[in-house]
Amino acid sequence: MTTRTAPTLNPDLALLLLRLATGLVFVMHGAQKFFTYTLPGTTQAFTQMGVPVPGISAPVVATVELLGGALLILGVYSRAAGVLLAVNMLVAIILVHLKAGFFNPNGLEFPLVLLAASLAVAFAGPGRLRAPIGQP
């Protein structure tokens, strides 16, 4: 008698899907801060939200989101990008989203998922399905 086992799932494919989705969200939010809201507008919004040193934190956050998201998509320096993006989300949760409760539109549910996804990539690495440049 033979026993059937579930098909083996490909963890590299799972990491690719996680990196692509998470990276795209971060790229779009970083681009929004640069090109839609502009850095002066993002700085003003950070000021109204009570984010410390908004003149510095706004461009840093926009850059981390845009470039970090792109690195996730490519699978290049993914662990470092994951850590930076996780720190970004942790600070956003503490300074902005926690006081709004759990649920959207301003609660912590969405940033919490981005924090977890970023940490997952930081812990697991990019997997084997990545751009053939740089290092993990």
Side-chain angles (χ1 to χ4, degrees):
M1 181 170 160
T2 61
T3 58
R4 293 183 182 215
T5 59
T8 302
L9 300 177
N10 185 340
D12 293 312
L13 180 59
L15 285 169
L16 174 66
L17 294 173
L18 180 66
R19 284 190 359 253
L20 292 177
T22 306
L24 178 63
V25 169
F26 277 117
V27 165
M28 295 304 291
H29 277 269
Q32 183 183 45
K33 286 173 179 67
F34 274 115
F35 306 115
T36 303
Y37 300 147
T38 72
L39 285 180
T42 302
T43 300
Q44 183 179 12
F46 277 29
T47 301
Q48 291 172 348
M49 288 184 264
V51 176
V53 287
I56 296 171
S57 58
V60 167
V61 166
T63 301
V64 166
E65 290 178 354
L66 185 65
L67 296 181
L71 292 173
L72 288 188
I73 290 169
L74 293 172
V76 178
Y77 301 106
S78 300
R79 290 180 188 268
V83 169
L84 290 173
L85 291 165
V87 169
N88 180 41
M89 287 296 93
L90 182 61
V91 171
I93 288 169
I94 291 168
L95 293 179
V96 178
H97 298 282
L98 196 57
K99 59 187 161 205
F102 184 79
F103 296 103
N104 278 333
N106 296 319
L108 66 96
E109 68 179 321
F110 181 58
L112 181 63
V113 171
L114 291 175
L115 169 65
S118 298
L119 285 175
V121 174
F123 293 153
R128 289 184 287 188
L129 302 175
R130 61 186 187 89
I133 56 174
Q135 301 174 9

